[in-house]
Amino acid sequence: MATIKDIARRAGVGVATVSRALNRNGYVKPDTLAKIEQVAEELGYVPNRQARAMVNGATMTLGILIPDMDNALFMRIVRGINDAAYPKGYSLLVMDSRGNPEWERQILRTMQELRVDGLILFATPGTAELVRSIRHRIPIVVLDRLIPGSDVPQISVDHYQGARLAADLLIRQCKYPPAMLTGPELVTSSHPRLQGYLDSLKAVGLSTKDARTELGGFTYEGGYHGMTKLLADRRSLDGVFAANDLSALGALRAIRDAGYQCPDDIKIVGFDDIEATRYIYPSLTTIRQPMDAIGQAALHMLSQQMDGEPVTENLILLPGELIRRESC
Amino acid sequence: MATIKDIARRAGVGVATVSRALNRNGYVKPDTLAKIEQVAEELGYVPNRQARAMVNGATMTLGILIPDMDNALFMRIVRGINDAAYPKGYSLLVMDSRGNPEWERQILRTMQELRVDGLILFATPGTAELVRSIRHRIPIVVLDRLIPGSDVPQISVDHYQGARLAADLLIRQCKYPPAMLTGPELVTSSHPRLQGYLDSLKAVGLSTKDARTELGGFTYEGGYHGMTKLLADRRSLDGVFAANDLSALGALRAIRDAGYQCPDDIKIVGFDDIEATRYIYPSLTTIRQPMDAIGQAALHMLSQQMDGEPVTENLILLPGELIRRESC
DNA sequence: ATGAAAGCGCTAACAA
DNA sequence: TTGTTAGCGCTTTCAT
């Protein structure tokens, strides 16, 4: 691989001149500049970012830690980050922890070794203290799966408000108190969604005894199993709030397999608004997460920190939006 | 950020000793090793990979270029790569070109600047020559969207064979010659899938005049529009091969919106077997891509090249598998 | 068993 | 306008 040294020798100039020419800073006589560019071209020169990073600090890479690359919501958000980061010259280093806390620790370590300029992560409870220690060295922003009570900058859809929207709609549309397919206990976004559901019941005078929950686990399969359980014990059930779209799709399937119809027999409301929800039948009524806005906000917050500016707010909750379709 | 120099000073030893100790190579007296580790711990030392890479060449990062991060199939494959690469200490640098050839060029450039140890990419026609020039500098493997006629190592499901499977099934199950929703003209995997469809028709004595194709574009929306067109001109249509699952889902929706039923009125077969296909209604009969196998094979081929071994085969075609479900 | 020093590719003073 | 030089953090001879 050709280096600036090679170019310098071949062009008969010093390395500094080459550097100046290629980076277009400092004075360089047009002739020499042309010559240098020509030689660089001939040699197929490609600058080495590692070396550059060593001297001026910035690697121009952003680390992203996701619990599951194969999740439509996460990747949709990451795409938003990518689209916002790319024009600024940042590259994304995406690593998937598969929800494994130990892997997560290692990944966070690797990100530091790579000296990423900023870190965006979907947290898990096991990461909380780790994040606390890292944030003093690297700008961080936590997305979607928040760390409750932490003062790390965090951005997310308002899980609670979204859940209220969903539950309120179901209560209005159903004869009986709706049930809920909850997210995994260990995922923080599960909690405000559950709380929203419970509070909506309370708001119309229903007691927690009227609440019925089953684990949906944020997956197709979990939703399927949870719904199947709900159906097995059918105490007048005609509405279900699935904590995310994946589990909603699983639930839809379970309803059908059990011989019922959605929305006629049972109505469903999901959460996230992943693309598939528009095309399936019945199309899914759901709470839309502002994915692009989240991605942009994340990058914005990170930029602020990287520029040394104080972060204005450290918890941004973007409102979810109710999207009505066929399932409720 | 603490450096080995800091550790050396504080531990009262030379930097070389620190390096040896931390990397556990060369002789280091147990006492000094302990001391060094302790100091490193105190200082919260995290090695700088850039610096390490500068001296020993390897960055331990693999670059991945995808045309769309938000595509279930691609990310499923990338996840497979991730799972195979992670244990070997490699980090993935994932960049999304959004199918834009110009972005693609720049990304490939960036990957080189970052000195990734290997490159995995889903090609587009515009990349072909670029890839040719890069492959002499960086180990490369092309996935799924192949470069026809190139001798770059490539891995993919056998698009043609899979398409034959799909079309043969439809021909068997339908009264009339099936139609096809094709992929984008510019995406190479579209071609063998189309060819398979045409050849299947031919194999049962149907002429190309019996073939009916409409652009499905590999997207939900494209599938929806394409199917709508097919339906508008309804010459006894009762079977459709959608070139991928996304367009199949779009088509399913179009069928329903037009007042028809799948599979009763029209049967559908997709391609890819993304996770959603199992849960929607009707569940989708499709051709399964061996995604994990593709990911593993990709990493294997890359490893071979990185180790300087000659690549045994430069085109691996993995068979697609017919998965029968409700749609046909 | 350990330290001194060279050098990886590049940028940024500092001179000239 | 250009060249020389000193690092950036680390690994690796080569001495000791």
Side-chain angles (χ1 to χ4, degrees):
Chain A
M1 277 256 139
T3 70
I4 51 170
K5 229 174 192 167
D6 299 323
I7 299 178
R9 194 174 322 129
R10 188 121 151 207
V13 298
V15 289
T17 309
V18 176
S19 176
R20 277 188 291 256
L22 264 22
N23 295 308
R24 310 204 170 311
N25 63 11
Y27 300 93
V28 179
K29 192 163 50 165
D31 298 10
T32 33
L33 191 150
K35 176 70 180 168
I36 288 171
E37 288 195 313
Q38 183 209 324
V39 174
E41 176 68 23
E42 282 171 20
L43 263 34
Y45 172 74
V46 179
N48 182 331
R49 282 217 203 182
Q50 330 279 337
R52 185 175 295 175
M54 289 224 51
V55 15
N56 59 202
T59 56
M60 297 306 285
T61 54
L62 262 23
I64 302 204
L65 169 63
I66 29 176
D68 181 11
M69 284 213 215
D70 193 26
N71 180 117
L73 173 72
F74 296 150
M75 286 318 293
R76 186 64 189 66
I77 292 177
V78 173
R79 196 181 82 184
I81 298 172
N82 177 78
D83 293 355
Y86 185 77
K88 298 192 172 184
Y90 285 99
S91 301
L92 301 189
L93 198 59
V94 182
M95 299 192 74
D96 186 343
S97 69
R98 308 306 299 283
N100 179 330
E102 179 47 28
W103 286 32
E104 214 162 90
R105 301 186 79 84
Q106 287 182 232
I107 289 175
L108 251 18
R109 164 90 181 190
T110 302
M111 296 286 192
Q112 286 178 268
E113 294 189 2
L114 259 3
R115 297 292 192 269
V116 295
D117 292 336
L119 211 39
I120 295 176
L121 49 91
F122 297 80
T124 55
T127 338
E129 356 74 62
L130 233 192
V131 167
R132 193 199 322 287
S133 66
I134 293 180
R135 64 173 299 219
H136 298 298
R137 345 178 114 195
I138 303 183
I140 280 192
V141 35
V142 171
L143 300 189
D144 191 78
R145 300 186 170 187
L146 307 180
I147 302 176
S150 168
D151 60 341
V152 193
Q154 308 196 79
I155 303 173
S156 168
V157 66
D158 190 333
H159 301 296
Y160 176 82
Q161 168 262 355
R164 291 291 312 250
L165 244 34
D168 287 348
L169 175 68
L170 280 162
I171 291 171
R172 236 178 297 130
Q173 302 293 318
C174 302
K175 291 218 300 267
Y176 308 104
M180 173 169 181
L181 288 168
T182 61
E185 178 61 36
L186 290 177
V187 172
T188 57
S189 57
S190 300
H191 309 159
R193 294 188 190 183
L194 172 59
Q195 196 55 51
Y197 160 75
L198 294 174
D199 286 359
S200 278
L201 289 186
K202 203 177 298 174
V204 293
L206 288 165
S207 81
T208 38
K209 289 183 60 181
D210 296 307
R212 289 176 61 194
T213 65
E214 201 65 63
L215 181 65
F218 279 168
T219 64
Y220 288 107
E221 222 189 318
Y224 185 89
H225 288 312
M227 190 68 221
T228 303
K229 282 193 192 166
L230 244 23
L231 252 18
D233 149 44
R234 200 185 182 205
R235 302 186 230 140
S236 320
L237 178 65
D238 65 346
V240 176
F241 169 37
N244 81 341
D245 288 347
L246 260 30
S247 59
L249 297 208
L252 242 22
R253 183 75 217 184
I255 288 171
R256 188 168 287 275
D257 285 356
Y260 298 109
Q261 295 282 333
C262 173
D264 300 341
D265 301 321
I266 299 184
K267 303 190 194 311
I268 294 264
V269 178
F271 201 115
D272 287 348
D273 194 32
I274 58 177
E275 198 176 3
T277 57
R278 277 181 283 278
Y279 294 92
I280 59 166
Y281 181 82
S283 57
L284 192 69
T285 291
T286 190
I287 305 301
R288 175 162 226 296
Q289 288 216 35
M291 315 174 198
D292 285 319
I294 291 177
Q296 283 157 21
L299 201 73
H300 180 73
M301 263 187 146
L302 220 45
S303 298
Q304 274 190 135
Q305 294 182 64
M306 297 190 297
D307 295 347
E309 296 170 30
V311 181
T312 38
E313 305 166 275
N314 57 16
L315 177 57
I316 297 183
L317 250 30
L318 271 11
E321 180 192 357
L322 174 64
I323 307 285
R324 287 206 65 176
R325 299 208 182 89
E326 296 163 339
S327 72
C328 178
Chain B
M1 276 257 141
T3 72
I4 51 169
K5 228 175 194 166
D6 300 323
I7 299 178
R9 193 175 322 128
R10 188 120 149 204
V13 298
V15 290
T17 307
V18 176
S19 177
R20 277 189 291 258
L22 262 21
N23 294 307
R24 310 204 171 311
N25 64 9
Y27 300 93
V28 178
K29 191 163 53 170
D31 298 10
T32 32
L33 191 151
K35 176 69 182 170
I36 288 171
E37 289 196 309
Q38 182 210 323
V39 174
E41 175 67 22
E42 283 173 20
L43 263 35
Y45 172 74
V46 179
N48 183 331
R49 284 217 204 183
Q50 330 279 336
R52 185 175 293 174
M54 290 225 51
V55 14
N56 60 200
T59 56
M60 298 305 286
T61 54
L62 262 23
I64 302 204
L65 169 63
I66 28 176
D68 181 13
M69 283 213 215
D70 193 27
N71 180 118
L73 173 72
F74 296 149
M75 286 317 294
R76 187 63 189 66
I77 292 177
V78 172
R79 196 183 81 183
I81 298 172
N82 177 78
D83 293 354
Y86 185 76
K88 298 191 172 186
Y90 284 100
S91 302
L92 301 189
L93 200 57
V94 182
M95 298 192 72
D96 185 341
S97 70
R98 308 307 299 282
N100 180 330
E102 178 47 30
W103 286 32
E104 215 164 90
R105 302 186 78 84
Q106 286 182 235
I107 288 174
L108 250 19
R109 162 90 181 191
T110 302
M111 295 285 191
Q112 287 178 267
E113 295 189 0
L114 258 1
R115 297 293 191 269
V116 295
D117 292 336
L119 211 39
I120 294 175
L121 50 93
F122 298 79
T124 54
T127 339
E129 357 75 63
L130 231 192
V131 167
R132 193 200 323 289
S133 66
I134 292 180
R135 63 173 300 221
H136 298 298
R137 346 176 117 196
I138 303 184
I140 279 193
V141 36
V142 171
L143 299 189
D144 191 79
R145 301 187 167 185
L146 308 179
I147 303 176
S150 167
D151 60 340
V152 193
Q154 309 196 76
I155 303 172
S156 168
V157 66
D158 190 334
H159 301 296
Y160 177 82
Q161 167 263 355
R164 291 292 311 252
L165 245 34
D168 287 348
L169 175 68
L170 280 163
I171 291 171
R172 235 177 298 131
Q173 303 293 319
C174 302
K175 292 217 301 262
Y176 309 104
M180 174 169 179
L181 288 169
T182 62
E185 180 60 35
L186 289 176
V187 173
T188 59
S189 58
S190 300
H191 310 158
R193 293 188 189 184
L194 172 59
Q195 196 55 51
Y197 160 76
L198 295 173
D199 286 0
S200 279
L201 290 186
K202 205 178 297 173
V204 293
L206 290 165
S207 81
T208 37
K209 290 184 55 181
D210 297 308
R212 288 176 62 193
T213 65
E214 201 64 62
L215 181 65
F218 279 170
T219 62
Y220 287 106
E221 222 189 320
Y224 185 89
H225 288 312
M227 189 68 221
T228 302
K229 281 193 192 166
L230 243 24
L231 253 19
D233 149 46
R234 198 183 183 208
R235 299 185 235 143
S236 317
L237 177 65
D238 65 346
V240 175
F241 169 37
N244 80 342
D245 288 347
L246 260 30
S247 59
L249 296 208
L252 242 22
R253 183 75 218 185
I255 288 172
R256 186 168 288 273
D257 284 355
Y260 299 109
Q261 293 284 330
C262 173
D264 300 341
D265 301 321
I266 299 184
K267 300 188 196 311
I268 295 263
V269 177
F271 202 114
D272 287 348
D273 193 32
I274 59 177
E275 198 176 5
T277 57
R278 276 183 283 280
Y279 294 93
I280 58 164
Y281 181 81
S283 58
L284 191 69
T285 290
T286 190
I287 306 300
R288 174 164 227 296
Q289 289 216 35
M291 317 175 198
D292 286 318
I294 291 177
Q296 283 156 22
L299 201 73
H300 181 73
M301 264 185 147
L302 220 45
S303 298
Q304 273 189 134
Q305 294 182 66
M306 295 190 297
D307 295 346
E309 295 170 30
V311 181
T312 39
E313 305 165 275
N314 56 17
L315 178 58
I316 297 183
L317 250 30
L318 270 10
E321 179 192 357
L322 175 64
I323 307 287
R324 287 207 62 178
R325 299 209 182 89
E326 297 164 337
S327 72
C328 178

